[in-house]
Amino acid sequence: AGFIYALTVADNFIKTGQAQNVIVIGADKMSDIVDWDDRSTCILFGDGAGALVLSASNDEKRGILSSKIYSDGEFIDILYAENAAKVKMAGQEVFKHAVEKMSKSVKDVLEEGGLSVSDIAYLVPHQANQRIIDMVGKKLRIKNEKVISTVAGHANTSAASIPLALASAEDKFSQGDLLVLTAIGGGLAWGACAVRW
């Protein structure tokens, strides 16, 4: 979710005139914080980094159209880093909340932008695991070919997963395509951005 939060902050800096260009970087070295004795979590995560450049433009039809970010500390105990050192995760609970909250944030961001699911050219979700990606697409009734999935190539790289997915699928996107990015992370924090490519 950190990448969605960072995009939202960067977009606001540009819209308020405080910046003309912002590089948003998502990078995580998950291998340092997984418990290698916990096979239920260590096999899920990977290391990665990716970036996106946002620039001010007079073209009001392109860029970030709307974004929504959320957090709820009530669920901190289902996904967190113990003593900022080792990932702890209640897998089934995280799965349930990920599908529910990512799907809802997509609907919220579309509604805020006056858009509908049928307007989405591609959904680019956080690459947590394939089951979550599939269920979010199914819940939103988006065809599989419109859901970008790269998790098999780099595992869950946390904040890096969306920029890595964008880079991997960039040749599929055409100018004017509506991309919706959505993610969930520890704490819990989650959100979505509607982006006109």
Side-chain angles (χ1 to χ4, degrees):
F3 193 75
I4 299 295
Y5 271 66
L7 279 179
T8 301
V9 171
D11 182 47
N12 284 319
F13 268 106
I14 290 171
K15 285 178 177 168
T16 59
Q18 295 180 66
Q20 290 293 305
N21 301 289
V22 181
I23 299 174
V24 180
I25 301 169
D28 278 296
K29 189 174 181 191
M30 299 303 293
S31 60
D32 276 356
I33 63 169
V34 294
D35 179 351
W36 290 102
D37 293 324
D38 179 4
R39 299 295 293 164
S40 69
T41 58
C42 71
I43 62 170
L44 303 176
F45 294 96
D47 298 339
L52 195 63
V53 177
L54 298 184
S55 296
S57 169
N58 292 325
D59 186 351
E60 294 181 9
K61 294 180 181 176
R62 294 187 69 200
I64 296 177
L65 306 178
S66 58
S67 61
K68 289 283 195 179
I69 52 176
Y70 307 91
S71 64
D72 190 340
E74 178 184 344
F75 304 108
I76 192 169
D77 60 341
I78 69 169
L79 180 57
Y80 64 100
E82 184 178 53
N83 300 321
K86 298 294 179 197
V87 172
K88 298 293 180 185
M89 181 172 70
Q92 291 293 44
E93 282 296 300
V94 171
F95 178 86
K96 179 181 79 172
H97 285 284
V99 171
E100 171 198 327
K101 288 172 172 41
M102 288 169 63
S103 300
K104 174 81 166 59
S105 66
V106 167
K107 291 176 182 176
D108 291 347
V109 83
L110 290 170
E111 183 179 333
E112 181 177 272
L115 302 161
S116 66
V117 171
S118 62
D119 294 318
I120 298 174
Y122 291 98
L123 177 68
V124 187
H126 165 52
Q127 305 292 304
N129 70 46
Q130 193 60 52
R131 285 182 55 234
I132 290 173
I133 293 167
D134 290 344
M135 285 302 295
V136 170
K138 185 176 180 180
K139 191 163 182 148
L140 293 168
R141 296 190 171 119
I142 297 175
K143 295 178 181 176
N144 288 342
E145 59 268 21
K146 290 185 164 195
V147 180
I148 303 301
S149 176
T150 59
V151 67
H154 52 70
N156 180 349
T157 56
S158 199
S161 76
I162 287 178
L164 287 172
L166 288 168
S168 295
E170 189 174 11
D171 61 335
K172 294 181 177 187
F173 308 149
S174 299
Q175 184 172 323
D177 278 352
L178 178 66
L179 310 182
V180 177
L181 322 177
T182 184
I184 192 165
L188 288 177
W190 66 96
C193 288
V195 179
R196 187 71 69 186
W197 193 254

